Amino acid sequence: MLTVRSLTHRYGDVTVLTAPDFALVPGEHAVLLGPSGSGKTTLLHILAGILPPSAGEVLLGADNLYAPRRDDRWRAARIGVVPQKLHLVGALSALDNLRMAQALAGTPDDAAAKALLSQLGLGAHMLKRPAQLSLGQQQRCAIARAVANRPRLLLADEPTSALDTANATVAIDLLVATADACGATLVVATHDERVRARLARLISLQAPAPASVAA
């Protein structure tokens, strides 16, 4: 279970995130919705274990992500992330991008990496570098990399922001199907109302109120 309690984040005196308390059971799908400036990406980074919150706690099962703060191997084995900018390693093939994710978690499995790429329609392209793939193929590769270690939590940041309706549908279908295949809890951060109808649970963020200025 993913549990978030009393979570806030500040930069100096400026509050950039005040998150509602919520809990998601294994396999549940949720959309993180809110206007620009509401802290969606900040919350996703906190859930990914890479940005310690200013206050509050995040639990993955019984494990607190920040008490103590978990190392890269721990996170890589349990949390998969599809960033808005896909950040595929350009010098590596699609297959080697997955191998790198597995190596970070300490769970190399070449057969599983190849099977996953084939499952996502990249079997004939696994030795190509990202620049040789279409945008849709790059997205599938990023999703495959995120789930290469069968994570308990799958996070996606604005996966439809640059897509038309047809391709946005394909992207969300793929995320949901892939999360279901490995039993992962899925959280998608977006401002895209098209995504809201596809995921069962809504977590709504509001932009923090501007700090008052003393007269």
Side-chain angles (χ1 to χ4, degrees), residues 179-205:
D180 286 346
C182 56
T185 299
L186 172 65
V187 179
V188 179
T190 188
H191 65 276
D192 189 343
E193 290 285 348
R194 297 173 300 182
V195 179
R196 180 174 180 172
R198 298 297 314 283
L199 303 181
R201 179 79 177 272
L202 171 63
I203 300 167
S204 184
L205 296 183

Side-chain angles (χ1 to χ4, degrees), residues 1-213:
M1 176 178 287
L2 174 68
T3 306
V4 170
R5 297 178 183 145
S6 304
L7 203 65
T8 62
H9 193 69
R10 296 183 298 275
Y11 292 110
D13 295 330
V14 179
T15 298
V16 296
L17 170 69
T18 301
D21 291 357
F22 64 89
L24 300 173
V25 299
E28 191 170 3
H29 304 155
V31 59
L32 186 60
L33 204 65
S36 295
S38 60
K40 296 186 300 298
T41 295
T42 298
L43 178 54
L44 216 65
H45 287 171
I46 292 171
L47 298 182
I50 59 177
L51 178 65
S54 300
E57 63 180 3
V58 180
L59 304 178
L60 188 56
D63 297 318
N64 191 315
L65 264 62
Y66 296 100
R69 188 174 180 181
R70 308 297 171 167
D71 62 21
D72 289 344
R73 176 167 290 194
W74 188 96
R75 292 195 306 271
R78 293 164 177 80
I79 303 171
V81 181
V82 183
Q84 183 176 5
K85 295 182 179 179
L86 301 177
H87 296 302
L88 296 168
V89 179
L92 299 181
S93 68
L95 177 58
D96 282 339
N97 269 273
L98 267 67
R99 286 168 169 161
M100 184 178 66
Q102 291 177 330
L104 184 59
T107 56
D109 188 337
D110 227 38
K114 291 176 181 178
L116 181 55
L117 287 169
S118 295
Q119 179 186 346
L120 296 183
L122 294 173
H125 306 286
M126 64 178 65
L127 298 182
K128 293 181 180 179
R129 295 180 180 181
Q132 298 172 299
L133 302 175
S134 69
L135 176 59
Q137 289 168 338
Q138 290 176 32
Q139 284 184 317
R140 292 199 293 275
C141 183
I143 292 171
R145 180 184 60 184
V147 300
N149 298 312
R150 300 190 65 84
R152 291 157 57 185
L153 175 62
L154 178 59
L155 308 170
D157 189 7
E158 299 284 5
T160 62
S161 61
L163 301 178
D164 60 24
T165 297
N167 285 314
T169 299
V170 170
I172 293 302
D173 283 348
L174 185 56
L175 280 167
V176 169
T178 308
D180 286 346
C182 56
T185 299
L186 172 65
V187 179
V188 179
T190 188
H191 65 276
D192 189 343
E193 290 285 348
R194 297 173 300 182
V195 179
R196 180 174 180 172
R198 298 297 314 283
L199 303 181
R201 179 79 177 272
L202 171 63
I203 300 167
S204 184
L205 296 183
Q206 303 298 322
S212 58
V213 178

